[in-house]
Amino acid sequence: MKFSELLYNQLYTWFEYNKRVLPWRETDDPYKIWVSEIILQQTRVEQGLPYFMRFVDRFPTLLSLAQAKEDEVLRYWQGLGYYSRARNMYKAAQQLVSHGYATFAHTFDEIRALPGIGDYTAGAISAFAYNQPYPALDGNVYRVLARLTDCEIPFDTSAGKRHFHQVANEILDRNNPRLFDSALMEFGALYCVPSSPDCVNCPLQTWCQAYAHNTVNLLPVRKPRPKIRDRYFNYTIYLTPDRQTLIHQRQEKDIWHHLWEFPLVETDADTFQRQSSGVVFTHILSHQRLHARFTLQPVTTLPDIPQTKVVHISDIDDFALSRLTLKAMEYFEL
Ligand code: SF4
């Protein structure tokens, strides 16, 4: 499929009148674009924006990120979830600085080789920061491409990714990759939305195969979802009269690696359901549904639990905590 000049013009005119003003669009600083791309990997723009502002305010350059403590970086990520993204960024910043890069990596291959960076992110940074001819395919762009070409290949499989990458490469405006990628992404986010887009008034309708074949609402196709695993977490918040408590850092290769939380016993469903004390939250992660019970346990002295740390409850903010832990603290007004 080839895009004609007319289609580019339609797309760019739509973009000009409808685009959101976003701080990472107002800059060509590759470091800031990288931060925004990592934040937006699993997070919606409106949700990610305040995190981005706070993050680049505290870590305005590659060097400032590389020189920070990992725990502080994680604290600035707190609430965004998927902490491995922050850990990889931190690792990448240290690698780049140790190899003498002052601002960021310069070429697609150098960027792609960094931890936590796949084809999409490398393409997006290359196009947005350096105006290099690489397509940037996020979930919104996959949807637009699947519809424009009326293609049923699941976009979240490796075959699908390869296919749509090729399509995106063919239609890319090589004279203006930055504008093209930004416009197509924004068009997917705001106009060619998942359900019932306004196809009748769509500026790209003439080229849209799904519209012609009446398959818009069937596209894009995803691979079947993996089964969600249920887990049962029993947390105890020990609290002394002078407000000391116990926390521990997760060490296992599991969710929330290196984050801090209250002492935890994981049980099966029956044991969990036999308890009646505490407050129960359900917390959904990508492949797990956590049933978490928090029990506030006033004590005169803290119990001796291996690998825990004694902290004053008001100092707990100095540690990177999971969103679930924060939710429980809010509930108990700690
Ligand atoms: S016609 Fe509908 S499905 Fe096709 S690109 Fe436009 S909004 Fe998307």
Side-chain angles (χ1 to χ4, degrees), residues 31 54-77 86-87 89-95 97:
Y31 167 76
R54 261 182 356 124
F55 197 92
V56 297
D57 193 44
R58 168 61 191 89
F59 309 111
T61 59
L62 188 70
L63 189 63
S64 60
L65 179 60
Q67 287 176 339
K69 291 234 162 32
E70 188 186 47
D71 221 44
E72 192 189 4
V73 176
L74 294 181
R75 257 192 293 125
Y76 274 78
W77 207 261
R87 261 184 226 108
M89 272 179 71
Y90 180 60
K91 229 189 283 172
Q94 291 191 316
Q95 266 180 28
V97 168

PDB file of all heavy atoms in Angstrom, residues 31 54-77 86-87 89-95 97:
ATOM      1  N   TYR A  31      16.432  12.780  25.105  1.00  0.00           N
ATOM      2  CA  TYR A  31      16.289  12.253  26.462  1.00  0.00           C
ATOM      3  C   TYR A  31      14.832  12.374  26.926  1.00  0.00           C
ATOM      4  O   TYR A  31      14.226  11.413  27.394  1.00  0.00           O
ATOM      5  CB  TYR A  31      17.236  12.987  27.419  1.00  0.00           C
ATOM      6  CG  TYR A  31      16.934  12.712  28.874  1.00  0.00           C
ATOM      7  CD1 TYR A  31      17.289  11.507  29.465  1.00  0.00           C
ATOM      8  CD2 TYR A  31      16.232  13.647  29.647  1.00  0.00           C
ATOM      9  CE1 TYR A  31      16.977  11.236  30.795  1.00  0.00           C
ATOM     10  CE2 TYR A  31      15.920  13.391  30.974  1.00  0.00           C
ATOM     11  CZ  TYR A  31      16.292  12.187  31.543  1.00  0.00           C
ATOM     12  OH  TYR A  31      15.967  11.914  32.846  1.00  0.00           O
ATOM     13  N   ARG A  54       6.861  15.634  36.480  1.00  0.00           N
ATOM     14  CA  ARG A  54       7.592  15.483  37.742  1.00  0.00           C
ATOM     15  C   ARG A  54       8.958  14.840  37.507  1.00  0.00           C
ATOM     16  O   ARG A  54       9.963  15.210  38.085  1.00  0.00           O
ATOM     17  CB  ARG A  54       6.781  14.589  38.698  1.00  0.00           C
ATOM     18  CG  ARG A  54       6.006  15.372  39.716  1.00  0.00           C
ATOM     19  CD  ARG A  54       5.237  14.531  40.700  1.00  0.00           C
ATOM     20  NE  ARG A  54       5.254  13.103  40.511  1.00  0.00           N
ATOM     21  CZ  ARG A  54       5.633  12.221  41.423  1.00  0.00           C
ATOM     22  NH1 ARG A  54       6.052  12.621  42.590  1.00  0.00           N
ATOM     23  NH2 ARG A  54       5.572  10.936  41.190  1.00  0.00           N
ATOM     24  N   PHE A  55       8.973  13.834  36.617  1.00  0.00           N
ATOM     25  CA  PHE A  55      10.188  13.072  36.362  1.00  0.00           C
ATOM     26  C   PHE A  55      11.261  13.954  35.717  1.00  0.00           C
ATOM     27  O   PHE A  55      12.408  13.984  36.167  1.00  0.00           O
ATOM     28  CB  PHE A  55       9.877  11.869  35.471  1.00  0.00           C
ATOM     29  CG  PHE A  55      10.932  10.810  35.471  1.00  0.00           C
ATOM     30  CD1 PHE A  55      10.874   9.747  36.358  1.00  0.00           C
ATOM     31  CD2 PHE A  55      12.010  10.864  34.590  1.00  0.00           C
ATOM     32  CE1 PHE A  55      11.858   8.770  36.367  1.00  0.00           C
ATOM     33  CE2 PHE A  55      13.002   9.893  34.595  1.00  0.00           C
ATOM     34  CZ  PHE A  55      12.917   8.841  35.489  1.00  0.00           C
ATOM     35  N   VAL A  56      10.883  14.702  34.677  1.00  0.00           N
ATOM     36  CA  VAL A  56      11.908  15.509  33.991  1.00  0.00           C
ATOM     37  C   VAL A  56      12.266  16.760  34.787  1.00  0.00           C
ATOM     38  O   VAL A  56      13.306  17.366  34.561  1.00  0.00           O
ATOM     39  CB  VAL A  56      11.533  15.874  32.531  1.00  0.00           C
ATOM     40  CG1 VAL A  56      11.412  14.638  31.677  1.00  0.00           C
ATOM     41  CG2 VAL A  56      10.278  16.712  32.461  1.00  0.00           C
ATOM     42  N   ASP A  57      11.401  17.113  35.726  1.00  0.00           N
ATOM     43  CA  ASP A  57      11.740  18.219  36.607  1.00  0.00           C
ATOM     44  C   ASP A  57      12.859  17.775  37.565  1.00  0.00           C
ATOM     45  O   ASP A  57      13.838  18.485  37.780  1.00  0.00           O
ATOM     46  CB  ASP A  57      10.480  18.608  37.393  1.00  0.00           C
ATOM     47  CG  ASP A  57      10.657  19.937  38.082  1.00  0.00           C
ATOM     48  OD1 ASP A  57      11.182  20.837  37.424  1.00  0.00           O
ATOM     49  OD2 ASP A  57      10.295  20.044  39.272  1.00  0.00           O
ATOM     50  N   ARG A  58      12.716  16.566  38.083  1.00  0.00           N
ATOM     51  CA  ARG A  58      13.721  16.049  39.022  1.00  0.00           C
ATOM     52  C   ARG A  58      14.968  15.529  38.295  1.00  0.00           C
ATOM     53  O   ARG A  58      16.085  15.673  38.782  1.00  0.00           O
ATOM     54  CB  ARG A  58      13.090  14.942  39.891  1.00  0.00           C
ATOM     55  CG  ARG A  58      14.062  14.114  40.710  1.00  0.00           C
ATOM     56  CD  ARG A  58      14.862  14.955  41.720  1.00  0.00           C
ATOM     57  NE  ARG A  58      15.955  14.197  42.317  1.00  0.00           N
ATOM     58  CZ  ARG A  58      17.182  14.106  41.819  1.00  0.00           C
ATOM     59  NH1 ARG A  58      17.501  14.733  40.684  1.00  0.00           N
ATOM     60  NH2 ARG A  58      18.103  13.392  42.439  1.00  0.00           N
ATOM     61  N   PHE A  59      14.739  14.867  37.142  1.00  0.00           N
ATOM     62  CA  PHE A  59      15.874  14.304  36.372  1.00  0.00           C
ATOM     63  C   PHE A  59      15.845  14.943  34.972  1.00  0.00           C
ATOM     64  O   PHE A  59      15.387  14.337  34.011  1.00  0.00           O
ATOM     65  CB  PHE A  59      15.731  12.783  36.237  1.00  0.00           C
ATOM     66  CG  PHE A  59      15.484  12.069  37.528  1.00  0.00           C
ATOM     67  CD1 PHE A  59      14.242  11.472  37.783  1.00  0.00           C
ATOM     68  CD2 PHE A  59      16.457  11.973  38.507  1.00  0.00           C
ATOM     69  CE1 PHE A  59      14.005  10.809  38.979  1.00  0.00           C
ATOM     70  CE2 PHE A  59      16.229  11.313  39.707  1.00  0.00           C
ATOM     71  CZ  PHE A  59      14.992  10.738  39.941  1.00  0.00           C
ATOM     72  N   PRO A  60      16.317  16.173  34.844  1.00  0.00           N
ATOM     73  CA  PRO A  60      16.157  16.884  33.564  1.00  0.00           C
ATOM     74  C   PRO A  60      17.101  16.412  32.456  1.00  0.00           C
ATOM     75  O   PRO A  60      16.876  16.730  31.288  1.00  0.00           O
ATOM     76  CB  PRO A  60      16.445  18.346  33.923  1.00  0.00           C
ATOM     77  CG  PRO A  60      17.236  18.300  35.186  1.00  0.00           C
ATOM     78  CD  PRO A  60      16.911  17.031  35.898  1.00  0.00           C
ATOM     79  N   THR A  61      18.152  15.667  32.825  1.00  0.00           N
ATOM     80  CA  THR A  61      19.115  15.234  31.802  1.00  0.00           C
ATOM     81  C   THR A  61      19.484  13.773  32.039  1.00  0.00           C
ATOM     82  O   THR A  61      19.244  13.224  33.113  1.00  0.00           O
ATOM     83  CB  THR A  61      20.425  16.040  31.904  1.00  0.00           C
ATOM     84  OG1 THR A  61      20.949  15.824  33.225  1.00  0.00           O
ATOM     85  CG2 THR A  61      20.213  17.516  31.660  1.00  0.00           C
ATOM     86  N   LEU A  62      20.109  13.214  31.020  1.00  0.00           N
ATOM     87  CA  LEU A  62      20.589  11.833  31.113  1.00  0.00           C
ATOM     88  C   LEU A  62      21.526  11.670  32.317  1.00  0.00           C
ATOM     89  O   LEU A  62      21.418  10.713  33.082  1.00  0.00           O
ATOM     90  CB  LEU A  62      21.349  11.518  29.820  1.00  0.00           C
ATOM     91  CG  LEU A  62      21.785  10.086  29.617  1.00  0.00           C
ATOM     92  CD1 LEU A  62      20.588   9.201  29.370  1.00  0.00           C
ATOM     93  CD2 LEU A  62      22.755   9.983  28.442  1.00  0.00           C
ATOM     94  N   LEU A  63      22.403  12.667  32.481  1.00  0.00           N
ATOM     95  CA  LEU A  63      23.389  12.594  33.553  1.00  0.00           C
ATOM     96  C   LEU A  63      22.705  12.599  34.930  1.00  0.00           C
ATOM     97  O   LEU A  63      23.065  11.823  35.819  1.00  0.00           O
ATOM     98  CB  LEU A  63      24.357  13.776  33.438  1.00  0.00           C
ATOM     99  CG  LEU A  63      25.565  13.723  34.352  1.00  0.00           C
ATOM    100  CD1 LEU A  63      26.439  12.521  34.028  1.00  0.00           C
ATOM    101  CD2 LEU A  63      26.391  15.013  34.234  1.00  0.00           C
ATOM    102  N   SER A  64      21.692  13.455  35.081  1.00  0.00           N
ATOM    103  CA  SER A  64      21.019  13.537  36.390  1.00  0.00           C
ATOM    104  C   SER A  64      20.331  12.217  36.707  1.00  0.00           C
ATOM    105  O   SER A  64      20.273  11.807  37.866  1.00  0.00           O
ATOM    106  CB  SER A  64      20.018  14.698  36.427  1.00  0.00           C
ATOM    107  OG  SER A  64      19.029  14.524  35.449  1.00  0.00           O
ATOM    108  N   LEU A  65      19.823  11.526  35.695  1.00  0.00           N
ATOM    109  CA  LEU A  65      19.182  10.228  35.939  1.00  0.00           C
ATOM    110  C   LEU A  65      20.238   9.181  36.296  1.00  0.00           C
ATOM    111  O   LEU A  65      20.078   8.418  37.249  1.00  0.00           O
ATOM    112  CB  LEU A  65      18.391   9.794  34.697  1.00  0.00           C
ATOM    113  CG  LEU A  65      17.691   8.446  34.785  1.00  0.00           C
ATOM    114  CD1 LEU A  65      16.673   8.414  35.924  1.00  0.00           C
ATOM    115  CD2 LEU A  65      16.982   8.112  33.467  1.00  0.00           C
ATOM    116  N   ALA A  66      21.327   9.184  35.544  1.00  0.00           N
ATOM    117  CA  ALA A  66      22.378   8.191  35.779  1.00  0.00           C
ATOM    118  C   ALA A  66      22.994   8.342  37.161  1.00  0.00           C
ATOM    119  O   ALA A  66      23.412   7.359  37.779  1.00  0.00           O
ATOM    120  CB  ALA A  66      23.465   8.318  34.707  1.00  0.00           C
ATOM    121  N   GLN A  67      23.035   9.567  37.663  1.00  0.00           N
ATOM    122  CA  GLN A  67      23.695   9.806  38.961  1.00  0.00           C
ATOM    123  C   GLN A  67      22.752   9.634  40.155  1.00  0.00           C
ATOM    124  O   GLN A  67      23.184   9.687  41.298  1.00  0.00           O
ATOM    125  CB  GLN A  67      24.288  11.217  38.987  1.00  0.00           C
ATOM    126  CG  GLN A  67      25.521  11.304  38.100  1.00  0.00           C
ATOM    127  CD  GLN A  67      26.078  12.716  38.025  1.00  0.00           C
ATOM    128  OE1 GLN A  67      25.362  13.670  38.301  1.00  0.00           O
ATOM    129  NE2 GLN A  67      27.330  12.837  37.632  1.00  0.00           N
ATOM    130  N   ALA A  68      21.458   9.447  39.891  1.00  0.00           N
ATOM    131  CA  ALA A  68      20.492   9.302  41.000  1.00  0.00           C
ATOM    132  C   ALA A  68      20.614   7.917  41.627  1.00  0.00           C
ATOM    133  O   ALA A  68      21.296   7.035  41.092  1.00  0.00           O
ATOM    134  CB  ALA A  68      19.085   9.502  40.463  1.00  0.00           C
ATOM    135  N   LYS A  69      19.958   7.733  42.764  1.00  0.00           N
ATOM    136  CA  LYS A  69      19.879   6.398  43.385  1.00  0.00           C
ATOM    137  C   LYS A  69      18.668   5.684  42.783  1.00  0.00           C
ATOM    138  O   LYS A  69      17.628   6.316  42.561  1.00  0.00           O
ATOM    139  CB  LYS A  69      19.675   6.552  44.894  1.00  0.00           C
ATOM    140  CG  LYS A  69      20.871   7.109  45.617  1.00  0.00           C
ATOM    141  CD  LYS A  69      21.236   6.139  46.752  1.00  0.00           C
ATOM    142  CE  LYS A  69      22.615   6.281  47.306  1.00  0.00           C
ATOM    143  NZ  LYS A  69      23.217   7.588  47.313  1.00  0.00           N
ATOM    144  N   GLU A  70      18.791   4.365  42.577  1.00  0.00           N
ATOM    145  CA  GLU A  70      17.686   3.636  41.952  1.00  0.00           C
ATOM    146  C   GLU A  70      16.388   3.800  42.740  1.00  0.00           C
ATOM    147  O   GLU A  70      15.301   3.956  42.176  1.00  0.00           O
ATOM    148  CB  GLU A  70      18.019   2.153  41.806  1.00  0.00           C
ATOM    149  CG  GLU A  70      16.956   1.431  40.994  1.00  0.00           C
ATOM    150  CD  GLU A  70      17.131  -0.076  40.903  1.00  0.00           C
ATOM    151  OE1 GLU A  70      17.381  -0.711  41.952  1.00  0.00           O
ATOM    152  OE2 GLU A  70      17.015  -0.618  39.798  1.00  0.00           O
ATOM    153  N   ASP A  71      16.512   3.791  44.060  1.00  0.00           N
ATOM    154  CA  ASP A  71      15.321   3.888  44.894  1.00  0.00           C
ATOM    155  C   ASP A  71      14.569   5.203  44.662  1.00  0.00           C
ATOM    156  O   ASP A  71      13.351   5.245  44.668  1.00  0.00           O
ATOM    157  CB  ASP A  71      15.722   3.755  46.374  1.00  0.00           C
ATOM    158  CG  ASP A  71      14.719   2.907  47.114  1.00  0.00           C
ATOM    159  OD1 ASP A  71      14.325   1.859  46.561  1.00  0.00           O
ATOM    160  OD2 ASP A  71      14.314   3.304  48.216  1.00  0.00           O
ATOM    161  N   GLU A  72      15.335   6.261  44.433  1.00  0.00           N
ATOM    162  CA  GLU A  72      14.672   7.547  44.183  1.00  0.00           C
ATOM    163  C   GLU A  72      13.976   7.537  42.815  1.00  0.00           C
ATOM    164  O   GLU A  72      12.858   8.031  42.671  1.00  0.00           O
ATOM    165  CB  GLU A  72      15.686   8.705  44.256  1.00  0.00           C
ATOM    166  CG  GLU A  72      14.947  10.030  44.282  1.00  0.00           C
ATOM    167  CD  GLU A  72      15.830  11.254  44.135  1.00  0.00           C
ATOM    168  OE1 GLU A  72      17.039  11.106  43.932  1.00  0.00           O
ATOM    169  OE2 GLU A  72      15.272  12.362  44.210  1.00  0.00           O
ATOM    170  N   VAL A  73      14.629   6.940  41.829  1.00  0.00           N
ATOM    171  CA  VAL A  73      14.019   6.853  40.499  1.00  0.00           C
ATOM    172  C   VAL A  73      12.701   6.080  40.598  1.00  0.00           C
ATOM    173  O   VAL A  73      11.681   6.489  40.048  1.00  0.00           O
ATOM    174  CB  VAL A  73      14.986   6.169  39.501  1.00  0.00           C
ATOM    175  CG1 VAL A  73      14.328   5.982  38.147  1.00  0.00           C
ATOM    176  CG2 VAL A  73      16.271   6.972  39.362  1.00  0.00           C
ATOM    177  N   LEU A  74      12.727   4.988  41.348  1.00  0.00           N
ATOM    178  CA  LEU A  74      11.504   4.185  41.501  1.00  0.00           C
ATOM    179  C   LEU A  74      10.411   4.972  42.215  1.00  0.00           C
ATOM    180  O   LEU A  74       9.234   4.812  41.925  1.00  0.00           O
ATOM    181  CB  LEU A  74      11.793   2.888  42.261  1.00  0.00           C
ATOM    182  CG  LEU A  74      12.693   1.886  41.546  1.00  0.00           C
ATOM    183  CD1 LEU A  74      12.871   0.630  42.391  1.00  0.00           C
ATOM    184  CD2 LEU A  74      12.132   1.512  40.183  1.00  0.00           C
ATOM    185  N   ARG A  75      10.823   5.808  43.151  1.00  0.00           N
ATOM    186  CA  ARG A  75       9.813   6.613  43.863  1.00  0.00           C
ATOM    187  C   ARG A  75       9.113   7.576  42.911  1.00  0.00           C
ATOM    188  O   ARG A  75       7.925   7.823  43.020  1.00  0.00           O
ATOM    189  CB  ARG A  75      10.443   7.383  45.018  1.00  0.00           C
ATOM    190  CG  ARG A  75      10.121   6.695  46.345  1.00  0.00           C
ATOM    191  CD  ARG A  75      10.466   7.534  47.531  1.00  0.00           C
ATOM    192  NE  ARG A  75      11.896   7.713  47.643  1.00  0.00           N
ATOM    193  CZ  ARG A  75      12.503   8.888  47.712  1.00  0.00           C
ATOM    194  NH1 ARG A  75      11.802  10.013  47.690  1.00  0.00           N
ATOM    195  NH2 ARG A  75      13.815   8.970  47.815  1.00  0.00           N
ATOM    196  N   TYR A  76       9.862   8.111  41.943  1.00  0.00           N
ATOM    197  CA  TYR A  76       9.236   9.011  40.971  1.00  0.00           C
ATOM    198  C   TYR A  76       8.343   8.249  39.995  1.00  0.00           C
ATOM    199  O   TYR A  76       7.567   8.837  39.268  1.00  0.00           O
ATOM    200  CB  TYR A  76      10.304   9.834  40.226  1.00  0.00           C
ATOM    201  CG  TYR A  76      10.657  11.072  41.004  1.00  0.00           C
ATOM    202  CD1 TYR A  76      11.507  10.986  42.109  1.00  0.00           C
ATOM    203  CD2 TYR A  76      10.104  12.297  40.686  1.00  0.00           C
ATOM    204  CE1 TYR A  76      11.805  12.113  42.855  1.00  0.00           C
ATOM    205  CE2 TYR A  76      10.392  13.421  41.422  1.00  0.00           C
ATOM    206  CZ  TYR A  76      11.245  13.325  42.509  1.00  0.00           C
ATOM    207  OH  TYR A  76      11.510  14.443  43.243  1.00  0.00           O
ATOM    208  N   TRP A  77       8.502   6.938  39.997  1.00  0.00           N
ATOM    209  CA  TRP A  77       7.701   6.086  39.106  1.00  0.00           C
ATOM    210  C   TRP A  77       6.473   5.551  39.845  1.00  0.00           C
ATOM    211  O   TRP A  77       5.558   5.002  39.241  1.00  0.00           O
ATOM    212  CB  TRP A  77       8.569   4.908  38.653  1.00  0.00           C
ATOM    213  CG  TRP A  77       8.155   4.360  37.346  1.00  0.00           C
ATOM    214  CD1 TRP A  77       7.377   3.259  37.116  1.00  0.00           C
ATOM    215  CD2 TRP A  77       8.488   4.865  36.046  1.00  0.00           C
ATOM    216  NE1 TRP A  77       7.205   3.059  35.780  1.00  0.00           N
ATOM    217  CE2 TRP A  77       7.887   4.035  35.104  1.00  0.00           C
ATOM    218  CE3 TRP A  77       9.242   5.953  35.592  1.00  0.00           C
ATOM    219  CZ2 TRP A  77       8.005   4.242  33.735  1.00  0.00           C
ATOM    220  CZ3 TRP A  77       9.359   6.159  34.229  1.00  0.00           C
ATOM    221  CH2 TRP A  77       8.751   5.315  33.323  1.00  0.00           C
ATOM    222  N   ALA A  86      11.140   1.560  34.688  1.00  0.00           N
ATOM    223  CA  ALA A  86      11.996   2.560  35.342  1.00  0.00           C
ATOM    224  C   ALA A  86      13.383   1.988  35.591  1.00  0.00           C
ATOM    225  O   ALA A  86      14.397   2.679  35.408  1.00  0.00           O
ATOM    226  CB  ALA A  86      11.357   2.996  36.647  1.00  0.00           C
ATOM    227  N   ARG A  87      13.414   0.722  35.984  1.00  0.00           N
ATOM    228  CA  ARG A  87      14.718   0.103  36.257  1.00  0.00           C
ATOM    229  C   ARG A  87      15.571   0.056  34.993  1.00  0.00           C
ATOM    230  O   ARG A  87      16.763   0.322  35.007  1.00  0.00           O
ATOM    231  CB  ARG A  87      14.506  -1.323  36.781  1.00  0.00           C
ATOM    232  CG  ARG A  87      14.599  -1.345  38.248  1.00  0.00           C
ATOM    233  CD  ARG A  87      14.504  -2.740  38.799  1.00  0.00           C
ATOM    234  NE  ARG A  87      13.588  -2.641  39.891  1.00  0.00           N
ATOM    235  CZ  ARG A  87      12.355  -3.115  39.903  1.00  0.00           C
ATOM    236  NH1 ARG A  87      11.900  -3.790  38.871  1.00  0.00           N
ATOM    237  NH2 ARG A  87      11.585  -2.937  40.941  1.00  0.00           N
ATOM    238  N   MET A  89      15.316   2.037  32.406  1.00  0.00           N
ATOM    239  CA  MET A  89      15.737   3.392  32.041  1.00  0.00           C
ATOM    240  C   MET A  89      16.973   3.794  32.814  1.00  0.00           C
ATOM    241  O   MET A  89      17.908   4.389  32.279  1.00  0.00           O
ATOM    242  CB  MET A  89      14.618   4.393  32.388  1.00  0.00           C
ATOM    243  CG  MET A  89      13.635   4.572  31.290  1.00  0.00           C
ATOM    244  SD  MET A  89      12.360   5.713  31.791  1.00  0.00           S
ATOM    245  CE  MET A  89      13.230   7.220  31.788  1.00  0.00           C
ATOM    246  N   TYR A  90      16.929   3.467  34.084  1.00  0.00           N
ATOM    247  CA  TYR A  90      18.041   3.812  34.960  1.00  0.00           C
ATOM    248  C   TYR A  90      19.314   3.112  34.492  1.00  0.00           C
ATOM    249  O   TYR A  90      20.385   3.723  34.365  1.00  0.00           O
ATOM    250  CB  TYR A  90      17.655   3.403  36.380  1.00  0.00           C
ATOM    251  CG  TYR A  90      18.687   3.689  37.426  1.00  0.00           C
ATOM    252  CD1 TYR A  90      19.116   4.987  37.669  1.00  0.00           C
ATOM    253  CD2 TYR A  90      19.231   2.656  38.189  1.00  0.00           C
ATOM    254  CE1 TYR A  90      20.062   5.253  38.640  1.00  0.00           C
ATOM    255  CE2 TYR A  90      20.172   2.909  39.162  1.00  0.00           C
ATOM    256  CZ  TYR A  90      20.589   4.210  39.381  1.00  0.00           C
ATOM    257  OH  TYR A  90      21.522   4.465  40.335  1.00  0.00           O
ATOM    258  N   LYS A  91      19.157   1.816  34.171  1.00  0.00           N
ATOM    259  CA  LYS A  91      20.305   1.034  33.689  1.00  0.00           C
ATOM    260  C   LYS A  91      20.833   1.628  32.375  1.00  0.00           C
ATOM    261  O   LYS A  91      22.033   1.802  32.178  1.00  0.00           O
ATOM    262  CB  LYS A  91      19.834  -0.407  33.424  1.00  0.00           C
ATOM    263  CG  LYS A  91      20.733  -1.462  34.055  1.00  0.00           C
ATOM    264  CD  LYS A  91      20.351  -2.844  33.593  1.00  0.00           C
ATOM    265  CE  LYS A  91      19.112  -3.378  34.272  1.00  0.00           C
ATOM    266  NZ  LYS A  91      18.605  -4.644  33.701  1.00  0.00           N
ATOM    267  N   ALA A  92      19.899   1.965  31.489  1.00  0.00           N
ATOM    268  CA  ALA A  92      20.289   2.522  30.185  1.00  0.00           C
ATOM    269  C   ALA A  92      21.031   3.851  30.371  1.00  0.00           C
ATOM    270  O   ALA A  92      22.037   4.109  29.701  1.00  0.00           O
ATOM    271  CB  ALA A  92      19.052   2.727  29.308  1.00  0.00           C
ATOM    272  N   ALA A  93      20.534   4.691  31.283  1.00  0.00           N
ATOM    273  CA  ALA A  93      21.178   5.995  31.512  1.00  0.00           C
ATOM    274  C   ALA A  93      22.610   5.781  31.990  1.00  0.00           C
ATOM    275  O   ALA A  93      23.545   6.449  31.529  1.00  0.00           O
ATOM    276  CB  ALA A  93      20.378   6.797  32.540  1.00  0.00           C
ATOM    277  N   GLN A  94      22.786   4.827  32.891  1.00  0.00           N
ATOM    278  CA  GLN A  94      24.141   4.577  33.409  1.00  0.00           C
ATOM    279  C   GLN A  94      25.068   4.052  32.313  1.00  0.00           C
ATOM    280  O   GLN A  94      26.216   4.467  32.207  1.00  0.00           O
ATOM    281  CB  GLN A  94      24.062   3.598  34.570  1.00  0.00           C
ATOM    282  CG  GLN A  94      23.385   4.253  35.760  1.00  0.00           C
ATOM    283  CD  GLN A  94      23.505   3.425  37.004  1.00  0.00           C
ATOM    284  OE1 GLN A  94      23.327   2.210  36.957  1.00  0.00           O
ATOM    285  NE2 GLN A  94      23.792   4.061  38.117  1.00  0.00           N
ATOM    286  N   GLN A  95      24.508   3.144  31.489  1.00  0.00           N
ATOM    287  CA  GLN A  95      25.313   2.605  30.371  1.00  0.00           C
ATOM    288  C   GLN A  95      25.762   3.728  29.443  1.00  0.00           C
ATOM    289  O   GLN A  95      26.929   3.829  29.065  1.00  0.00           O
ATOM    290  CB  GLN A  95      24.440   1.659  29.543  1.00  0.00           C
ATOM    291  CG  GLN A  95      24.549   0.213  29.951  1.00  0.00           C
ATOM    292  CD  GLN A  95      23.644  -0.647  29.067  1.00  0.00           C
ATOM    293  OE1 GLN A  95      23.364  -0.332  27.926  1.00  0.00           O
ATOM    294  NE2 GLN A  95      23.192  -1.747  29.634  1.00  0.00           N
ATOM    295  N   VAL A  97      25.962   6.998  29.914  1.00  0.00           N
ATOM    296  CA  VAL A  97      26.905   7.942  30.518  1.00  0.00           C
ATOM    297  C   VAL A  97      28.288   7.303  30.632  1.00  0.00           C
ATOM    298  O   VAL A  97      29.305   7.923  30.315  1.00  0.00           O
ATOM    299  CB  VAL A  97      26.372   8.431  31.885  1.00  0.00           C
ATOM    300  CG1 VAL A  97      27.455   9.166  32.660  1.00  0.00           C
ATOM    301  CG2 VAL A  97      25.167   9.350  31.676  1.00  0.00           C
TER     302      VAL A  97
END
